[in-house]
């Protein structure tokens, strides 16, 4: 366990740690009573020996700093004078009531330190307000990053997953969202951004206007429009959409409006990542549409039972496949 922690600290100090490793490190940092003191001392020596960051691998560099601390404790070597004040490299606060993680990371390589604020939601949703009054709502399994320069130098954030923004109006400092390979620039507006997979981006404008920017492409959206950027083909499609349906995730529900039974089943297959087979030929050909909403925490079985009240069918599950009869 101790060796794993040492390797984790080395990666954090060398700035090669992944997002998952940063979260694990931060949990350790806030979970043990002496962990913060131990890390601060390691980081002091690390900062004093900046050249080691480039000449040694993370594990060897950490071993060297640990050896120096041991020599100091044994009285064999005098303490080195640290030329600048130590800044905490990472800390973790669990946001009670939301289940989201907030990471505060400081970059000490620059003369003027840049502090990075990282919000990780995992299996929960959260919302918060930035210093300029901009409100952000993060969906599950999403991440948002900004620095301490936000609203002083710029209004720039970087995100993964899905988020809804209510941007405070400021024409002198446009609000910029980096989402994948794209940038979304606004002055003051409300919009939703979702990154599907690694490269597909879905942007929905509620009010105001936004400019979607890609290398060689710029598109301006108007309210109730949705832009879909397909990364594999670099294709941009714009369509009019139902805002209530698109933002239903903020209310914890999934809305369906005028959806055919077969299309509804396709949507449930994608949502729950299962296979649904319709053996009822009448339902396959049905032109009757359905409008309704389901709570996010409802199981597929519960949803099928509710739909069966409207549509006369039965269902059964064999192995991992659902059969509609």
């Amino acid at each position: 366990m101790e060796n794993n922690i040492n390797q984790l600290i080395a990666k954090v100090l060398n700035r090669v740690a992944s997002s998952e490793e940063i979260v694990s490190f931060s949990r350790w940092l806030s979970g043990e009573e002496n962990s913060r003191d131990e890390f601060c001392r390691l980081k002091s020596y690390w900062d004093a020996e900046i050249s080691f960051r480039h000449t040694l691998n993370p594990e060897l560099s950490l071993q060297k700093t640990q050896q120096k601390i041991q020599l100091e404790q044994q009285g064999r070597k005098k303490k080195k004078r640290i030329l600048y004040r130590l800044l905490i490299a990472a800390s973790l606060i669990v946001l009670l009531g939301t289940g989201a993680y907030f990471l505060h990371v400081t970059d000490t390589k620059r003369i003027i330190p840049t502090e990075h604020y990282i919000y990780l939601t995992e299996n929960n949703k959260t919302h918060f307000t930035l210093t300029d009054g901009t409100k952000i709502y993060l969906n599950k399994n999403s991440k948002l990053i900004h620095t301490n320069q936000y609203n002083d130098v710029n209004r720039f954030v970087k995100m993964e997953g899905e988020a809804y923004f209510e941007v405070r109006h400021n024409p002198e400092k446009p609000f910029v969202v980096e989402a994948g390979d794209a940038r979304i620039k606004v002055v003051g507006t409300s919009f939703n951004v979702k990154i599907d997979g690694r490269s597909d981006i879905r942007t929905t404008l509620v009010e105001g206007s936004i400019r979607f920017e890609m290398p060689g492409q710029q598109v301006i959206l108007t309210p109730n429009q949705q832009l879909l950027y397909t990364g594999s083909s670099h294709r941009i499609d714009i369509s009019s959409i139902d805002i209530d349906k698109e933002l239903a995730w903020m209310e914890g529900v999934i809305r369906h409006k005028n959806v055919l039974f077969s299309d509804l089943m396709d949507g449930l297959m994608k949502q729950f990542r299962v296979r649904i087979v319709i053996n009822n030929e009448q339902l396959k050909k049905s032109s009757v549409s359905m409008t309704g909403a389901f709570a996010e925490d409802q199981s597929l079985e519960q949803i099928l039972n509710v739909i069966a009240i409207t549509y006369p069918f039965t269902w059964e599950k064999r192995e991992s496949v659902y059969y509609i009869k």
Side-chain angles (χ1 to χ4, degrees), residues 100-123:
Y101 295 111
F102 167 70
L103 300 177
H104 175 193
V105 183
T106 302
D107 183 355
T108 58
K109 289 184 178 180
R110 301 177 182 178
I111 297 176
I112 301 177
T114 299
E115 299 174 354
H116 298 266
Y117 298 85
I118 308 173
Y119 298 82
L120 302 171
T121 57
E122 294 187 344
N123 291 322

Side-chain angles (χ1 to χ4, degrees), residues 252-269:
V253 298
I254 301 168
R255 296 187 186 278
H256 300 282
K257 187 174 182 180
N258 297 326
V259 179
L260 295 177
F261 183 85
S262 57
D263 292 337
L264 178 58
M265 293 301 109
D266 287 341
L268 291 175
M269 280 197 290

Side-chain angles (χ1 to χ4, degrees), residues 21 23 31 80 93 108 115 122 147 177 190 267 283 294 300 320:
E21 288 170 332
V23 170
K80 290 192 174 184
I93 300 173
T108 58
E115 299 174 354
E122 294 187 344
T147 72
V177 178
S190 300
L283 289 176
F294 305 110
L300 176 57
S320 59

Side-chain angles (χ1 to χ4, degrees), residues 27-253:
R27 285 173 178 162
W28 168 82
L29 190 66
S30 62
E32 297 186 19
E33 184 176 353
N34 299 324
S35 58
R36 187 178 297 276
D37 292 338
E38 179 183 350
F39 174 72
C40 286
R41 287 200 296 170
L42 282 171
K43 188 173 187 299
S44 295
Y45 284 103
W46 193 280
D47 289 344
E49 297 287 341
I50 296 176
S51 61
F52 289 159
R53 295 177 182 171
H54 304 287
T55 59
L56 300 178
N57 64 46
E59 206 165 332
L60 292 176
S61 298
L62 182 63
Q63 291 174 0
K64 190 167 184 68
T65 58
Q66 288 175 322
Q67 290 172 2
K68 289 189 176 185
I69 290 180
Q70 291 174 357
L71 290 175
E72 179 208 24
Q73 292 173 339
Q74 297 169 4
R76 298 176 186 173
K77 190 172 184 178
K78 295 182 180 180
K79 292 182 179 180
K80 290 192 174 184
R81 183 179 180 183
I82 307 302
L83 300 180
Y84 50 85
R85 187 177 181 180
L86 175 65
L87 296 174
I88 297 175
S91 62
L92 174 68
I93 300 173
V94 178
L95 301 180
L96 299 177
T98 65
Y101 295 111
F102 167 70
L103 300 177
H104 175 193
V105 183
T106 302
D107 183 355
T108 58
K109 289 184 178 180
R110 301 177 182 178
I111 297 176
I112 301 177
T114 299
E115 299 174 354
H116 298 266
Y117 298 85
I118 308 173
Y119 298 82
L120 302 171
T121 57
E122 294 187 344
N123 291 322
N124 302 277
K125 292 182 288 188
T126 189
H127 61 89
F128 49 92
T129 303
L130 299 181
T131 55
D132 66 335
T134 293
K135 296 180 180 180
I136 299 177
Y137 300 79
L138 278 183
N139 204 351
K140 297 178 181 179
N141 302 310
S142 300
K143 178 169 72 174
L144 185 133
I145 303 172
H146 69 84
T147 72
N148 60 332
Q149 297 177 339
Y150 180 86
N151 202 36
D152 291 332
V153 178
N154 58 48
R155 294 202 297 170
F156 177 87
V157 300
K158 183 176 181 180
M159 64 155 289
E160 297 175 11
E162 184 171 19
Y164 175 77
F165 301 87
E166 294 180 358
V167 179
R168 180 63 62 89
H169 185 79
N170 185 347
E172 296 180 358
K173 293 178 183 176
F175 182 85
V176 179
V177 178
E178 182 178 305
D181 296 329
R183 284 196 170 195
I184 300 167
K185 187 175 293 186
V186 306
V187 172
T189 187
S190 300
F191 62 103
N192 195 79
V193 180
K194 182 178 182 180
I195 302 177
D196 295 317
R198 293 188 175 182
S199 58
D200 295 348
I201 303 169
R202 193 181 303 270
T203 304
T204 306
L205 180 60
V206 178
E207 61 181 32
S209 66
I210 61 177
R211 186 168 66 199
F212 184 89
E213 299 179 352
M214 290 292 298
Q217 301 184 77
Q218 289 190 13
V219 178
I220 296 178
L221 293 185
T222 56
N224 297 325
Q225 283 188 329
Q226 182 178 86
L227 179 149
L228 174 60
Y229 170 77
T230 305
S232 58
S233 61
H234 303 289
R235 177 188 174 98
I236 292 179
D237 294 299
I238 298 176
S239 59
S240 297
I241 48 88
D242 183 344
I243 292 293
D244 290 338
K245 178 182 175 182
E246 197 66 24
L247 301 182
W249 67 265
M250 297 174 62
E251 305 172 22
V253 298

